[in-house]
């Protein structure tokens, strides 16, 4: 079974009996104690991000791709020219996204495991130091979008299975076109799967693609 982040958040905090836990987590986060006391940094966890790929050259994402890098695994299932049509698929082993307008996958990976606390490289120094939710997590980036356009459930399914085969503990998917069978199979084998539910939220908490 898979859940969106917002569904998990809602269920976790929905009943009155869990309000104390909510406030305790907030207090720990506010004082920077969540990591120091509970040691929740993502170390030893691999998060697969199935999305537009990643601009891994950014120093906050490690600046490199492959063994020994923050983004140690990944694959490009489609190539730059893919827009949702199988006729344009040109896969390769490099999930670099340096052509999409927003590079959504880069954004997501930054939220998950980015670390910009010690960047000095010109052009990349942030306005203030920041780090992602789990800065010590390992990332596997799977590209299922080209520079423009959409993707297909067959491509997403292939990425889901590859992420599971390569040992992902958590799989995060950005796509409306999900293969439920693939999600169900990898979930039963132990992977925790999160599926996006849109960005705006104007149609409500549980509406996909709002």
């Amino acid at each position: 079974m898979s859940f969106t982040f917002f569904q998990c958040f809602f269920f976790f905090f929905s009943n009155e009996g869990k309000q104390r836990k909510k406030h305790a987590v907030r207090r720990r986060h506010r004082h920077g104690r969540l990591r120091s006391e509970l040691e929740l940094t993502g170390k030893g966890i691999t998060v697969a991000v199935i999305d537009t790929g990643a601009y891994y050259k950014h120093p906050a994402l490690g600046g490199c791709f492959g063994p020994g890098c923050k983004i140690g695994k990944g694959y490009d299932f489609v190539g730059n020219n893919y827009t949702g049509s199988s006729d344009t698929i040109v896969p390769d082993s490099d999930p670099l996204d340096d052509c999409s307008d927003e590079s959504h996958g880069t954004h997501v990976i930054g939220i998950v495991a980015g670390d910009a606390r010690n960047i000095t490289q010109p052009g990349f120094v942030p306005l203030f130091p920041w780090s992602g939710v789990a800065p010590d997590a390992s990332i596997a980036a799977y590209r299922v979008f080209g520079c423009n356009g959409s993707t297909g459930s067959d491509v997403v399914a292939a990425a889901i299975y590859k992420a599971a085969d390569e040992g992902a503990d958590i799989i995060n998917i950005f796509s409306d076109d999900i293969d439920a069978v693939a999600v169900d199979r990898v979930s039963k084998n132990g992977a925790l799967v999160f599926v996006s539910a849109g960005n705006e939220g104007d149609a409500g908490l549980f509406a996909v693609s709002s």
Side-chain angles (χ1 to χ4, degrees):
M1 181 178 293
S2 64
F3 299 93
T4 69
F5 170 79
F6 293 107
Q7 286 172 325
C8 291
F9 185 89
F10 178 79
F11 287 127
F12 187 76
F13 291 128
S14 59
N15 67 65
E16 186 176 343
K18 292 183 178 177
Q19 290 305 306
R20 283 190 228 171
K21 183 179 290 186
K22 174 182 177 181
H23 296 310
V25 169
R26 281 181 172 175
R27 284 196 301 272
R28 288 181 182 275
H29 183 73
R30 183 172 65 241
H31 296 295
R33 294 159 55 189
L34 186 60
R35 294 175 185 167
S36 62
E37 291 189 7
L38 301 183
E39 298 182 354
L40 299 178
T41 66
K43 187 174 183 179
I45 300 297
T46 297
V47 180
V49 177
I50 297 174
D51 208 306
T52 65
Y55 187 71
Y56 52 72
K57 296 179 182 180
H58 195 293
L61 302 186
C64 59
F65 169 67
C69 300
K70 181 183 290 289
I71 303 179
K73 299 177 181 178
Y75 192 78
D76 181 352
F77 284 87
V78 294
N80 286 348
N81 295 325
Y82 177 71
T83 59
S85 169
S86 60
D87 294 336
T88 59
I89 287 181
V90 182
D92 64 63
S93 59
D94 187 348
L96 178 68
D97 174 15
D98 60 356
C99 65
S100 64
D101 289 338
E102 298 178 351
S103 196
H104 189 274
T106 302
H107 186 175
V108 171
I109 293 169
I111 292 172
V112 174
D115 193 344
R117 289 174 289 184
N118 297 298
I119 292 177
T120 59
Q121 185 175 335
F124 293 101
V125 179
L127 293 176
F128 55 86
W130 60 269
S131 61
V133 175
D136 291 336
S138 297
I139 298 294
Y142 300 100
R143 189 183 187 201
V144 296
F145 291 88
C147 298
N148 299 287
S150 60
T151 189
S153 61
D154 55 339
V155 177
V156 175
I160 291 170
Y161 287 127
K162 187 170 182 62
D165 287 344
E166 294 189 340
D169 301 293
I170 298 170
I171 301 174
N172 185 85
I173 307 168
F174 173 67
S175 175
D176 307 333
D177 209 349
I178 303 299
D179 187 315
V181 174
V183 171
D184 186 59
R185 286 178 176 173
V186 301
S187 296
K188 288 179 178 178
N189 284 329
L192 181 61
V193 181
F194 292 89
V195 180
S196 64
N199 291 314
E200 302 301 327
D202 54 343
L205 183 64
F206 295 99
V208 175
S209 298
S210 60

